[in-house]
Amino acid sequence: MSLQVDVRKLDLFNKMAKEGSETVADHLSQLAGIDAGIEVSKINFLDIEDVKTHLGSQKQVGIFVELVDPPHGYVLFLLEPRDSKQLVGQMVGGMGGDEPADGLFTDMERSAMQEIGNIMTSGYIDGWANVLDTTIDISTPSFAYGPASDIVDEMGGWPQEDIAFVVDSDIVAESTDVELTAYTFPRLRELVDLIQDIDLDTDVQTDTTASTDIVE
Protein backbone atom coordinates (compact mmCIF):
# COMPACT_ATOMS: atom_id res chain seq x y z
CA MET A 1 0.00 0.00 0.00
CA SER A 2 1.41 3.36 -1.02
CA LEU A 3 2.16 6.05 1.57
CA GLN A 4 2.40 8.75 -1.07
CA VAL A 5 0.27 11.85 -0.48
CA ASP A 6 -0.66 14.59 -2.92
CA VAL A 7 1.74 17.41 -2.12
CA ARG A 8 -1.21 19.81 -2.01
CA LYS A 9 -2.59 17.85 0.94
CA LEU A 10 0.53 17.88 3.10
CA ASP A 11 -0.72 20.91 5.00
CA LEU A 12 -3.61 18.79 6.29
CA PHE A 13 -1.21 17.08 8.70
CA ASN A 14 -0.40 20.43 10.29
CA LYS A 15 -4.05 21.45 10.21
CA MET A 16 -5.03 18.32 12.15
CA ALA A 17 -2.43 18.98 14.83
CA LYS A 18 -3.46 22.60 15.18
CA GLU A 19 -7.23 22.02 15.25
CA GLY A 20 -7.04 19.22 17.80
CA SER A 21 -4.80 21.18 20.15
CA GLU A 22 -6.82 24.39 19.86
CA THR A 23 -9.97 22.49 20.79
CA VAL A 24 -8.32 21.09 23.94
CA ALA A 25 -7.12 24.56 24.91
CA ASP A 26 -10.65 25.93 24.41
CA HIS A 27 -12.14 23.16 26.58
CA LEU A 28 -9.70 23.89 29.39
CA SER A 29 -10.68 27.56 29.23
CA GLN A 30 -14.41 26.79 29.27
CA LEU A 31 -14.41 24.06 31.92
CA ALA A 32 -11.92 25.40 34.42
CA GLY A 33 -11.47 29.04 33.58
CA ILE A 34 -7.88 28.25 32.61
CA ASP A 35 -6.44 30.48 29.92
CA ALA A 36 -4.63 27.80 27.91
CA GLY A 37 -2.81 28.06 24.63
CA ILE A 38 -0.69 25.97 22.29
CA GLU A 39 3.00 26.44 22.91
CA VAL A 40 4.32 23.87 20.44
CA SER A 41 2.57 21.60 17.97
CA LYS A 42 4.76 19.44 15.79
CA ILE A 43 4.70 16.28 13.75
CA ASN A 44 7.27 13.53 14.06
CA PHE A 45 7.89 10.45 11.98
CA LEU A 46 9.73 8.05 14.28
CA ASP A 47 10.97 4.50 14.10
CA ILE A 48 8.73 2.36 16.31
CA GLU A 49 11.62 1.56 18.66
CA ASP A 50 12.33 5.29 19.09
CA VAL A 51 8.87 6.16 20.40
CA LYS A 52 9.71 5.27 24.01
CA THR A 53 12.94 7.27 23.84
CA HIS A 54 10.95 10.22 22.53
CA LEU A 55 8.53 10.07 25.48
CA GLY A 56 11.25 9.59 28.10
CA SER A 57 11.31 7.74 31.41
CA GLN A 58 10.10 10.45 33.80
CA LYS A 59 7.07 9.48 35.89
CA GLN A 60 3.95 11.13 34.56
CA VAL A 61 0.18 10.85 34.60
CA GLY A 62 -1.21 9.43 31.37
CA ILE A 63 -4.78 9.42 30.11
CA PHE A 64 -5.26 7.49 26.89
CA VAL A 65 -8.04 6.34 24.59
CA GLU A 66 -8.12 4.05 21.60
CA LEU A 67 -9.53 5.19 18.27
CA VAL A 68 -11.99 2.47 17.27
CA ASP A 69 -12.50 3.87 13.76
CA PRO A 70 -9.94 4.70 11.05
CA PRO A 71 -7.26 5.87 11.36
CA HIS A 72 -7.28 3.78 14.55
CA GLY A 73 -4.43 4.07 17.03
CA TYR A 74 -4.28 6.02 20.30
CA VAL A 75 -4.43 9.48 21.82
CA LEU A 76 -2.33 9.98 24.95
CA PHE A 77 -2.27 13.00 27.27
CA LEU A 78 0.76 13.26 29.56
CA LEU A 79 1.24 15.67 32.42
CA GLU A 80 3.22 15.99 35.61
CA PRO A 81 1.57 14.54 38.76
CA ARG A 82 1.50 17.99 40.37
CA ASP A 83 -0.16 19.46 37.28
CA SER A 84 -2.78 16.71 37.19
CA LYS A 85 -3.74 17.37 40.82
CA GLN A 86 -3.93 21.09 40.13
CA LEU A 87 -6.10 20.48 37.06
CA VAL A 88 -8.48 18.28 39.03
CA GLY A 89 -8.69 20.95 41.73
CA GLN A 90 -9.41 23.66 39.17
CA MET A 91 -12.19 21.68 37.50
CA VAL A 92 -13.96 19.82 40.29
CA GLY A 93 -12.69 21.31 43.55
CA GLY A 94 -11.16 19.43 46.47
CA MET A 95 -10.98 15.67 46.14
CA GLY A 96 -10.11 14.73 49.72
CA GLY A 97 -11.56 11.77 51.59
CA ASP A 98 -10.10 8.41 50.63
CA GLU A 99 -6.45 7.45 50.88
CA PRO A 100 -4.25 7.36 47.77
CA ALA A 101 -4.21 3.80 46.46
CA ASP A 102 -0.73 4.24 44.99
CA GLY A 103 0.61 6.70 47.54
CA LEU A 104 -0.18 9.65 45.26
CA PHE A 105 -3.67 9.53 43.72
CA THR A 106 -6.99 8.68 45.35
CA ASP A 107 -9.64 6.73 43.46
CA MET A 108 -11.68 9.92 43.20
CA GLU A 109 -8.74 11.77 41.66
CA ARG A 110 -8.17 8.99 39.15
CA SER A 111 -11.84 9.01 38.20
CA ALA A 112 -11.84 12.79 37.84
CA MET A 113 -8.74 12.68 35.63
CA GLN A 114 -10.37 10.06 33.41
CA GLU A 115 -13.42 12.28 32.97
CA ILE A 116 -11.23 15.29 32.22
CA GLY A 117 -9.33 13.15 29.72
CA ASN A 118 -12.61 12.08 28.13
CA ILE A 119 -13.65 15.70 27.60
CA MET A 120 -10.27 16.74 26.23
CA THR A 121 -9.87 13.71 23.97
CA SER A 122 -13.36 14.05 22.52
CA GLY A 123 -12.59 17.63 21.56
CA TYR A 124 -9.15 16.73 20.22
CA ILE A 125 -10.48 13.98 17.98
CA ASP A 126 -13.42 16.12 16.92
CA GLY A 127 -10.88 18.51 15.40
CA TRP A 128 -9.23 15.63 13.57
CA ALA A 129 -12.54 14.28 12.31
CA ASN A 130 -13.50 17.68 10.90
CA VAL A 131 -10.28 17.92 8.93
CA LEU A 132 -10.50 14.31 7.70
CA ASP A 133 -14.20 14.60 6.83
CA THR A 134 -15.10 11.47 8.78
CA THR A 135 -16.43 10.21 12.12
CA ILE A 136 -14.10 8.74 14.73
CA ASP A 137 -15.39 6.87 17.78
CA ILE A 138 -13.17 6.44 20.84
CA SER A 139 -12.95 4.02 23.76
CA THR A 140 -13.44 4.99 27.38
CA PRO A 141 -10.36 6.72 28.84
CA SER A 142 -7.78 4.81 30.87
CA PHE A 143 -5.66 6.26 33.69
CA ALA A 144 -1.99 5.35 34.08
CA TYR A 145 0.82 6.59 36.30
CA GLY A 146 4.50 5.76 35.89
CA PRO A 147 7.40 6.26 33.49
CA ALA A 148 6.03 7.69 30.25
CA SER A 149 7.73 4.98 28.20
CA ASP A 150 5.96 2.28 30.25
CA ILE A 151 2.56 3.89 29.67
CA VAL A 152 3.07 3.20 25.96
CA ASP A 153 3.29 -0.51 26.80
CA GLU A 154 -0.02 -0.30 28.67
CA MET A 155 -1.72 1.06 25.56
CA GLY A 156 -0.74 -1.98 23.48
CA GLY A 157 -2.11 -2.76 20.04
CA TRP A 158 0.70 -1.13 18.09
CA PRO A 159 0.43 -1.50 14.32
CA GLN A 160 2.90 -3.66 12.45
CA GLU A 161 4.65 -0.72 10.84
CA ASP A 162 8.24 0.47 10.79
CA ILE A 163 7.37 4.15 11.24
CA ALA A 164 5.15 5.81 13.82
CA PHE A 165 3.38 9.06 12.94
CA VAL A 166 3.38 11.10 16.16
CA VAL A 167 1.57 14.40 16.63
CA ASP A 168 3.15 16.11 19.62
CA SER A 169 1.36 19.18 21.04
CA ASP A 170 2.28 21.13 24.18
CA ILE A 171 -0.69 22.93 25.73
CA VAL A 172 0.17 25.40 28.48
CA ALA A 173 -1.95 27.32 30.98
CA GLU A 174 0.47 29.99 32.13
CA SER A 175 -1.79 31.39 34.84
CA THR A 176 -1.74 28.07 36.74
CA ASP A 177 1.53 26.57 35.49
CA VAL A 178 -0.39 23.56 34.16
CA GLU A 179 1.21 21.99 31.11
CA LEU A 180 0.11 18.89 29.25
CA THR A 181 1.30 17.20 26.12
CA ALA A 182 -1.04 15.48 23.68
CA TYR A 183 0.40 12.62 21.66
CA THR A 184 -1.50 10.99 18.83
CA PHE A 185 -0.40 7.66 17.39
CA PRO A 186 -2.60 6.88 14.38
CA ARG A 187 -1.99 4.00 12.03
CA LEU A 188 -0.06 5.72 9.31
CA ARG A 189 -1.40 3.76 6.34
CA GLU A 190 -5.02 4.32 7.37
CA LEU A 191 -4.37 8.01 7.97
CA VAL A 192 -2.83 8.37 4.51
CA ASP A 193 -5.86 6.63 2.97
CA LEU A 194 -8.21 9.11 4.66
CA ILE A 195 -6.15 12.08 3.50
CA GLN A 196 -5.95 10.75 -0.05
CA ASP A 197 -9.77 10.56 -0.13
CA ILE A 198 -10.24 14.21 0.83
CA ASP A 199 -11.57 16.48 -1.89
CA LEU A 200 -9.51 19.66 -1.72
CA ASP A 201 -12.39 21.58 -3.27
CA THR A 202 -14.64 20.75 -0.30
CA ASP A 203 -14.58 22.84 2.84
CA VAL A 204 -14.77 19.99 5.34
CA GLN A 205 -14.89 22.35 8.28
CA THR A 206 -18.12 23.81 7.01
CA ASP A 207 -19.74 20.71 5.55
CA THR A 208 -18.89 18.08 8.14
CA THR A 209 -20.39 17.39 11.53
CA ALA A 210 -18.04 14.98 13.26
CA SER A 211 -18.99 12.39 15.86
CA THR A 212 -16.83 11.37 18.79
CA ASP A 213 -19.22 9.04 20.61
CA ILE A 214 -17.77 7.06 23.48
CA VAL A 215 -17.79 3.29 22.98
CA GLU A 216 -18.25 1.41 26.26
Side-chain angles (χ1 to χ4, degrees), residues 133-158:
D133 194 13
T134 189
T135 58
I136 304 174
D137 289 339
I138 60 176
S139 67
T140 52
S142 297
F143 177 99
Y145 171 62
S149 54
D150 291 351
I151 294 175
V152 172
D153 287 332
E154 290 193 38
M155 295 188 330
W158 283 87

Short mmCIF file of all heavy atoms in Angstrom, two decimals, residues 133-158:
data_model
loop_
_atom_site.label_atom_id
_atom_site.label_comp_id
_atom_site.label_asym_id
_atom_site.label_seq_id
_atom_site.Cartn_x
_atom_site.Cartn_y
_atom_site.Cartn_z
N ASP A 133 -12.87 14.80 7.40
CA ASP A 133 -14.20 14.60 6.83
C ASP A 133 -14.71 13.19 7.11
O ASP A 133 -15.10 12.45 6.21
CB ASP A 133 -14.19 14.87 5.32
CG ASP A 133 -15.60 15.02 4.77
OD1 ASP A 133 -16.55 15.15 5.57
OD2 ASP A 133 -15.76 14.98 3.52
N THR A 134 -14.69 12.82 8.41
CA THR A 134 -15.10 11.47 8.78
C THR A 134 -15.66 11.50 10.19
O THR A 134 -15.79 12.56 10.81
CB THR A 134 -13.90 10.50 8.71
OG1 THR A 134 -14.37 9.15 8.88
CG2 THR A 134 -12.86 10.82 9.75
N THR A 135 -16.04 10.35 10.72
CA THR A 135 -16.43 10.21 12.12
C THR A 135 -15.45 9.25 12.79
O THR A 135 -15.03 8.27 12.19
CB THR A 135 -17.86 9.67 12.27
OG1 THR A 135 -17.96 8.40 11.62
CG2 THR A 135 -18.87 10.63 11.67
N ILE A 136 -15.08 9.55 14.01
CA ILE A 136 -14.10 8.74 14.73
C ILE A 136 -14.63 8.49 16.14
O ILE A 136 -14.77 9.41 16.94
CB ILE A 136 -12.73 9.43 14.82
CG1 ILE A 136 -12.20 9.79 13.43
CG2 ILE A 136 -11.73 8.52 15.55
CD1 ILE A 136 -10.92 10.61 13.45
N ASP A 137 -14.97 7.24 16.43
CA ASP A 137 -15.39 6.87 17.78
C ASP A 137 -14.17 6.52 18.62
O ASP A 137 -13.15 6.07 18.10
CB ASP A 137 -16.35 5.68 17.75
CG ASP A 137 -17.71 6.04 17.18
OD1 ASP A 137 -18.05 7.24 17.19
OD2 ASP A 137 -18.43 5.13 16.74
N ILE A 138 -14.29 6.72 19.93
CA ILE A 138 -13.17 6.44 20.84
C ILE A 138 -13.63 5.55 21.98
O ILE A 138 -14.81 5.48 22.31
CB ILE A 138 -12.58 7.75 21.40
CG1 ILE A 138 -13.63 8.53 22.18
CG2 ILE A 138 -11.98 8.59 20.29
CD1 ILE A 138 -13.11 9.80 22.85
N SER A 139 -12.67 4.87 22.60
CA SER A 139 -12.95 4.02 23.76
C SER A 139 -13.07 4.89 25.00
O SER A 139 -12.81 6.10 24.98
CB SER A 139 -11.82 3.00 23.94
OG SER A 139 -10.62 3.65 24.32
N THR A 140 -13.44 4.27 26.12
CA THR A 140 -13.44 4.99 27.38
C THR A 140 -12.00 5.26 27.80
O THR A 140 -11.10 4.46 27.53
CB THR A 140 -14.16 4.19 28.48
OG1 THR A 140 -13.60 2.87 28.53
CG2 THR A 140 -15.64 4.08 28.18
N PRO A 141 -11.74 6.37 28.47
CA PRO A 141 -10.36 6.72 28.84
C PRO A 141 -9.80 5.79 29.91
O PRO A 141 -10.53 5.27 30.76
CB PRO A 141 -10.49 8.15 29.39
CG PRO A 141 -11.82 8.64 28.92
CD PRO A 141 -12.70 7.43 28.81
N SER A 142 -8.50 5.58 29.86
CA SER A 142 -7.78 4.81 30.87
C SER A 142 -6.76 5.71 31.56
O SER A 142 -6.15 6.57 30.93
CB SER A 142 -7.05 3.62 30.23
OG SER A 142 -7.96 2.71 29.66
N PHE A 143 -6.61 5.49 32.88
CA PHE A 143 -5.66 6.26 33.69
C PHE A 143 -4.42 5.42 33.92
O PHE A 143 -4.49 4.22 34.19
CB PHE A 143 -6.30 6.61 35.04
CG PHE A 143 -5.38 7.35 36.00
CD1 PHE A 143 -5.45 8.73 36.12
CD2 PHE A 143 -4.47 6.65 36.79
CE1 PHE A 143 -4.62 9.40 37.00
CE2 PHE A 143 -3.63 7.33 37.67
CZ PHE A 143 -3.71 8.71 37.79
N ALA A 144 -3.24 6.05 33.81
CA ALA A 144 -1.99 5.35 34.08
C ALA A 144 -1.03 6.32 34.77
O ALA A 144 -1.07 7.53 34.51
CB ALA A 144 -1.37 4.82 32.79
N TYR A 145 -0.20 5.76 35.64
CA TYR A 145 0.82 6.59 36.30
C TYR A 145 2.12 5.81 36.36
O TYR A 145 2.15 4.65 36.80
CB TYR A 145 0.38 6.98 37.71
CG TYR A 145 1.47 7.66 38.50
CD1 TYR A 145 2.03 8.87 38.07
CD2 TYR A 145 1.97 7.07 39.67
CE1 TYR A 145 3.05 9.47 38.79
CE2 TYR A 145 2.99 7.68 40.38
CZ TYR A 145 3.53 8.87 39.94
OH TYR A 145 4.55 9.47 40.64
N GLY A 146 3.20 6.42 35.88
CA GLY A 146 4.50 5.76 35.89
C GLY A 146 5.39 6.38 34.83
O GLY A 146 5.07 7.43 34.26
N PRO A 147 6.52 5.75 34.55
CA PRO A 147 7.40 6.26 33.49
C PRO A 147 6.63 6.36 32.18
O PRO A 147 5.89 5.44 31.81
CB PRO A 147 8.51 5.20 33.42
CG PRO A 147 8.53 4.58 34.78
CD PRO A 147 7.09 4.57 35.23
N ALA A 148 6.79 7.48 31.48
CA ALA A 148 6.03 7.69 30.25
C ALA A 148 6.24 6.57 29.25
O ALA A 148 5.30 6.14 28.56
CB ALA A 148 6.42 9.03 29.63
N SER A 149 7.46 6.05 29.16
CA SER A 149 7.73 4.98 28.20
C SER A 149 6.98 3.71 28.55
O SER A 149 6.59 2.94 27.66
CB SER A 149 9.23 4.70 28.15
OG SER A 149 9.75 4.43 29.44
N ASP A 150 6.72 3.47 29.84
CA ASP A 150 5.96 2.28 30.25
C ASP A 150 4.48 2.44 29.95
O ASP A 150 3.77 1.44 29.72
CB ASP A 150 6.15 2.01 31.75
CG ASP A 150 7.57 1.57 32.09
OD1 ASP A 150 8.35 1.30 31.14
OD2 ASP A 150 7.90 1.50 33.28
N ILE A 151 3.98 3.66 29.98
CA ILE A 151 2.56 3.89 29.67
C ILE A 151 2.26 3.47 28.24
O ILE A 151 1.19 2.96 27.94
CB ILE A 151 2.20 5.37 29.91
CG1 ILE A 151 2.31 5.70 31.40
CG2 ILE A 151 0.80 5.69 29.39
CD1 ILE A 151 2.09 7.16 31.73
N VAL A 152 3.24 3.64 27.35
CA VAL A 152 3.07 3.20 25.96
C VAL A 152 2.81 1.70 25.92
O VAL A 152 1.98 1.21 25.14
CB VAL A 152 4.31 3.57 25.12
CG1 VAL A 152 4.23 2.94 23.74
CG2 VAL A 152 4.41 5.08 24.99
N ASP A 153 3.51 0.94 26.76
CA ASP A 153 3.29 -0.51 26.80
C ASP A 153 1.88 -0.84 27.26
O ASP A 153 1.28 -1.82 26.80
CB ASP A 153 4.31 -1.17 27.74
CG ASP A 153 5.71 -1.20 27.17
OD1 ASP A 153 5.83 -1.22 25.93
OD2 ASP A 153 6.67 -1.19 27.95
N GLU A 154 1.34 -0.06 28.19
CA GLU A 154 -0.02 -0.30 28.67
C GLU A 154 -1.05 -0.09 27.57
O GLU A 154 -2.10 -0.74 27.57
CB GLU A 154 -0.34 0.61 29.86
CG GLU A 154 0.42 0.28 31.13
CD GLU A 154 -0.14 1.00 32.34
OE1 GLU A 154 -1.38 1.14 32.43
OE2 GLU A 154 0.66 1.43 33.18
N MET A 155 -0.77 0.80 26.64
CA MET A 155 -1.72 1.06 25.56
C MET A 155 -1.84 -0.16 24.66
O MET A 155 -2.94 -0.57 24.29
CB MET A 155 -1.28 2.28 24.74
CG MET A 155 -1.32 3.55 25.55
SD MET A 155 -1.02 5.11 24.64
CE MET A 155 0.03 4.68 23.32
N GLY A 156 -0.71 -0.77 24.29
CA GLY A 156 -0.74 -1.98 23.48
C GLY A 156 -1.33 -1.75 22.10
O GLY A 156 -1.67 -0.64 21.70
N GLY A 157 -1.45 -2.83 21.34
CA GLY A 157 -2.11 -2.76 20.04
C GLY A 157 -1.38 -1.97 18.99
O GLY A 157 -1.99 -1.39 18.09
N TRP A 158 -0.05 -1.91 19.07
CA TRP A 158 0.70 -1.13 18.09
C TRP A 158 0.65 -1.77 16.72
O TRP A 158 0.73 -2.99 16.59
CB TRP A 158 2.15 -0.98 18.55
CG TRP A 158 2.28 0.04 19.63
CD1 TRP A 158 2.15 -0.18 20.96
CD2 TRP A 158 2.52 1.42 19.46
NE1 TRP A 158 2.29 1.00 21.65
CE2 TRP A 158 2.53 2.00 20.77
CE3 TRP A 158 2.73 2.24 18.37
CZ2 TRP A 158 2.73 3.34 20.99
CZ3 TRP A 158 2.95 3.59 18.59
CH2 TRP A 158 2.94 4.13 19.88
#
